[in-house]
Amino acid sequence: MSQPVVHINNLNLQYQQMLVLSDLNWTILSGENWLLGGNSGNGKTSLGKVIAGLLPASGNIKITFNDTSKLPAKVLFVESWYQFKNLEGVANFYYQQRYTSQQAKETLTVKAELAYYAKEYHLNIADVEPILNRLDFTSLQNSQLIELSSGEHKKLQLVKALWLKPQVLIIDQPYTGLDLKSRKNLNLLLDETASAGVTLILISNDDDLPSSINRFATIVNKKLVAVNTKTDLQQFIPLRENKTIPAFLRTSPVYSSQQIAKMENIQISYGEKQVLKNINWEVKAGEKWLLQGHNGSGKSTLLSLINGDHPQSYANTLYLFGNKRGSGESIWDIKQHIGLISPEFHWYFDASATVWESIASGLYDSVGLFRQLPYSKSILVDELVEYFGLTEEKNRLLNTLPLGTQRLVLLARTIIKNPELLILDEPCQGLDKQQTKHFNQLVDELCSNGMTLIYVGHFESQLPNCLEKKIVLENGEVILIEDLKTDKAYKQLKDYALNFEPSL
């Protein structure tokens, strides 16, 4: 008879005076590997953190480790994303700092981070090499932590967890930011980890899972509900109400130029590492582009040039909104034309502002609200708060909300000024399927009014319908520019998205 590994009885969790979990019961037996799914914000992440001892809660939680196992008697929780620190132990980086020439002095290299981890947990450094290879991470060992994209940081945390092999491993959003090849290899690695005796708990709504996942649950009304299959979890994700888009977003943006961005033989390097090579690309007003590429292909760096954040843009031939970069415009002049959301921007955003203030800050391209809004602009914020269903949360601090709700807030911030260019870099990370569908419908409606779009996405089924053109990067080079207007091109898009899933 299987023995309980995790036994929870009458668990109660209160956070910021809000009851998150109530009299929750859950028993995980040896040999069981669970998927914890359901709608965004139902308490999944909080439950995982409680089991790992990262959040205090009342009730009975008993973890029974196997004394005969060689695996560490430990519960490890892998965050949906990881906040790294610099050499002085400080984590307060700013968004543009990732691209500055001084970054090498700020953080450890990947290799040094792994060496530190090996020393902390008494691991053999040679044992990590196969994991690095299978997740295509070997070439990044000399990179600084601050140079990594959010997807690459996710890989690093997965590498460390799979290397350690704790007796209980909880992973929040394991596939966030990973390309298709990495996802497949991760599932194989997770199966091998489970076979070695690790109990897995994955917090996810993804469809492609390790074959070792054999139990499924969600949280409904603050209690755990077990179901028979992952398909059964969908019934617990509520349909979102279709609302009319605010009137101020139903008009076309006012374009300052018919040329949004033009790049001529762009070259970006960090020392001997070349990140972008001979990039030639033009985006015209009203075009809708899909940007794809494997992890580390250069997508984030390419977008940082358009958004004005990369200092090496001055050393290249780059035109933004009709003006050559370096002709006297400031970074804030450029940002006035752009609405941006990306995992990295979310990562560095000041989460101590309220929901209302966070949305309003998009009017001024700041990371908080530092001025009194006139009544006419306050009305715009109120309209977006209502449209995104955030009325009850509008006075709450951003950092007290579930990750998916935080992302909706930043999406509202992105569109509030009806920008000429909308840059949506993995905009639906952290959202459940209904939220993703709802947001992409909003993107389609916005873009029907003439807005220019650059969209970095996941599966073909999770992309907006308005996309017209596609550019694909590989190892810093453009390997494909394609028009998606014909049926043949769209079929190619579907095949490509299924066989070459893009990410950060």
Side-chain angles (χ1 to χ4, degrees), residues 160-410:
K160 293 194 290 187
L162 294 167
W163 185 18
L164 179 63
K165 288 188 177 66
Q167 290 194 30
V168 180
L169 177 57
I170 307 170
I171 307 180
D172 193 3
Q173 306 300 331
Y175 308 104
T176 296
L178 302 188
D179 57 47
L180 182 57
K181 180 182 177 182
S182 297
R183 286 176 176 233
K184 288 181 176 179
N185 283 336
L186 173 60
N187 281 341
L188 292 174
L189 287 165
L190 288 171
D191 283 336
E192 293 169 13
T193 300
S195 297
V198 174
T199 296
L200 296 176
I201 303 173
L202 303 186
I203 301 172
S204 175
N205 282 312
D206 286 87
D207 292 326
D208 296 322
L209 299 168
S211 59
S212 54
I213 295 295
N214 52 23
R215 296 292 185 272
F216 308 89
T218 186
I219 298 174
V220 180
N221 296 326
K222 304 175 179 60
K223 293 178 172 59
L224 191 93
V225 176
V227 297
N228 293 323
T229 69
K230 65 180 180 182
T231 304
D232 295 332
L233 295 173
Q234 298 305 310
Q235 65 182 300
F236 298 103
I237 299 180
L239 296 175
R240 293 181 62 83
E241 177 186 355
N242 289 326
K243 299 179 181 180
T244 302
I245 193 171
F248 74 92
L249 293 175
R250 295 200 294 268
T251 60
S252 176
V254 178
Y255 282 106
S256 54
S257 171
Q258 289 301 302
Q259 183 189 80
I260 300 298
K262 185 177 181 181
M263 301 180 180
E264 297 180 358
N265 298 317
I266 295 291
Q267 310 274 351
I268 299 293
S269 298
Y270 304 132
E272 296 182 358
K273 180 182 178 182
Q274 194 165 10
V275 180
L276 293 180
K277 311 168 189 175
N278 300 315
I279 302 293
N280 292 281
W281 185 30
E282 184 174 9
V283 178
K284 297 178 181 178
E287 291 182 339
K288 286 82 179 171
W289 283 86
L290 173 64
L291 171 61
Q292 294 187 319
H294 286 304
N295 293 131
S297 61
K299 300 185 303 299
S300 296
T301 302
L302 185 68
L303 294 179
S304 72
L305 290 169
I306 296 175
N307 195 43
D309 288 317
H310 206 296
Q312 292 189 44
S313 61
Y314 295 104
N316 283 275
T317 303
L318 172 65
Y319 297 86
L320 296 176
F321 305 99
N323 298 311
K324 190 175 188 299
R325 191 75 170 98
S327 58
E329 79 292 346
S330 71
I331 186 175
W332 304 111
D333 294 329
I334 294 170
K335 290 182 181 296
Q336 287 178 4
H337 304 278
I338 299 172
L340 166 73
I341 183 67
S342 71
E344 286 86 0
F345 182 80
H346 189 171
W347 200 347
Y348 296 115
F349 193 81
D350 180 7
S352 63
T354 66
V355 166
W356 198 94
E357 291 168 343
S358 298
I359 296 173
S361 70
L363 292 165
Y364 304 107
D365 303 302
S366 58
V367 293
L369 188 62
F370 306 107
R371 65 184 78 184
Q372 184 83 22
L373 250 63
Y375 177 76
S376 60
K377 292 186 176 180
S378 296
I379 292 299
L380 304 183
V381 181
D382 290 337
E383 288 185 27
L384 281 180
V385 165
E386 203 283 330
Y387 178 77
F388 278 96
L390 297 166
T391 302
E392 293 184 4
E393 293 88 1
K394 71 176 184 179
N395 293 319
R396 290 182 58 186
L397 298 181
L398 191 64
N399 60 9
T400 67
L401 299 175
L403 180 62
T405 307
Q406 290 185 39
R407 182 53 59 93
L408 286 178
V409 173
L410 294 184

Side-chain angles (χ1 to χ4, degrees), residues 80 131 155 186 267 270 272 292 328 379 393 409 418 420 445 482-483 485 499 502:
S80 57
I131 304 173
K155 278 190 180 182
L186 173 60
Q267 310 274 351
Y270 304 132
E272 296 182 358
Q292 294 187 319
I379 292 299
E393 293 88 1
V409 173
N418 198 13
E420 298 168 54
E445 192 165 352
E482 185 178 11
D483 194 313
K485 293 180 181 178
N499 293 299

Side-chain angles (χ1 to χ4, degrees), residues 40 80-82 149-152 154 172-179 183 205-206 295 299-300 341-347 402-411 424-433 435-436 439-440 455-458 462 501-504:
S40 176
S80 57
W81 64 33
Y82 173 71
S149 68
S150 64
E152 290 164 344
K154 186 71 176 189
D172 193 3
Q173 306 300 331
Y175 308 104
T176 296
L178 302 188
D179 57 47
R183 286 176 176 233
N205 282 312
D206 286 87
N295 293 131
K299 300 185 303 299
S300 296
I341 183 67
S342 71
E344 286 86 0
F345 182 80
H346 189 171
W347 200 347
L403 180 62
T405 307
Q406 290 185 39
R407 182 53 59 93
L408 286 178
V409 173
L410 294 184
L411 292 174
L424 303 178
D425 185 358
E426 302 282 14
C428 299
Q429 282 191 12
L431 304 187
D432 60 42
K433 291 184 179 180
Q435 289 173 323
T436 297
F439 177 71
N440 282 332
Y455 194 107
V456 181
H458 275 295
Q462 294 179 339
E501 184 190 347
S503 66
L504 294 171

